[in-house]
Amino acid sequence: MESLLDVSQLQGGAPRLHLEDVDLALVVREAVSRSEDAAARAGCLLVLSPLEPTPGRWDAARLSQVMTHLLSNAMKFGPGKPVEVALESGRDVATLMVKDHGIGIAPGRLESLFRRFERAVPVRHYGGLGLGLYRLRRIVEAHGGGVSVDSTPGAGATFRVRLPREGPPAVRD
């Protein structure tokens, strides 16, 4: 049912954001904490780098979805291996990083990975509709940010989410 809701939400424009003053470090800590049971089931150790307060103008619920999806993917594609989480707090931009040590992504798949219904691996092995990273990218872009991935097949992937601390350009005062 949630997958059908995701598909219907993607037919409209950019995701609606409820912007407020948010500490991204708190959002990250909470998402990691909520993911501990899933990580234990997957045999993954969640390694959270020390986080300094990272205030910004964001939608906490949407960024929690982004963080949860990145953690879920990392555990799904790297079961039994650590998942590293870090947050860099720059003056104007915050950068969230989630690194797994799983199967990695073939170089030819990186470009299309964030498109709707695109998948890096066959559905028969990992399931899903191929909407998660598309939806994630839409949320990040609605915040005025960007998402990228670096990967080596067989050695994992590192996702980076960059977010302007002042929020999306269209709604800045």
Side-chain angles (χ1 to χ4, degrees):
M1 184 62 146
E2 187 174 325
S3 294
L4 291 176
L5 180 61
D6 289 346
V7 172
S8 68
Q9 288 175 344
L10 295 172
Q11 300 305 317
R16 283 196 183 139
L17 301 179
H18 174 69
L19 297 173
E20 57 189 340
D21 292 332
V22 172
D23 181 356
L24 189 56
L26 182 60
V27 172
V28 169
R29 274 191 207 95
E30 289 174 351
V32 168
S33 179
R34 281 192 316 275
S35 299
E36 290 286 347
D37 288 342
R41 286 191 299 277
C44 295
L45 175 64
L46 298 180
V47 181
L48 183 59
S49 294
L51 304 177
E52 64 182 71
T54 307
R57 188 110 178 109
W58 299 305
D59 183 322
R62 293 288 190 173
L63 293 183
S64 181
Q65 291 174 336
V66 166
M67 186 65 207
T68 299
H69 186 75
L70 288 173
L71 290 170
S72 176
N73 266 9
M75 292 182 274
K76 179 166 138 179
F77 296 110
K81 299 186 176 163
V83 175
E84 301 168 39
V85 179
L87 178 61
E88 292 178 359
S89 182
R91 188 169 70 86
D92 298 323
V93 176
T95 303
L96 170 65
M97 290 167 288
V98 176
K99 178 178 182 168
D100 68 62
H101 298 273
I103 63 172
I105 304 163
R109 304 295 291 164
L110 291 173
E111 186 75 21
S112 63
L113 194 59
F114 296 98
R115 292 187 196 140
R116 189 174 3 188
F117 303 116
E118 287 292 329
R119 305 179 46 78
V121 295
V123 68
R124 68 181 173 276
H125 295 299
Y126 291 96
L129 294 175
L131 290 172
L133 290 174
Y134 171 76
R135 186 171 170 216
L136 180 150
R137 181 181 60 101
R138 298 272 315 261
I139 291 169
V140 171
E141 288 177 349
H143 280 87
V147 61
S148 62
V149 61
D150 296 312
S151 183
T152 302
T158 302
F159 285 83
R160 286 181 180 78
V161 173
R162 290 174 186 81
L163 298 163
R165 292 179 69 160
E166 293 181 5
V171 295
R172 291 184 189 153
D173 295 328

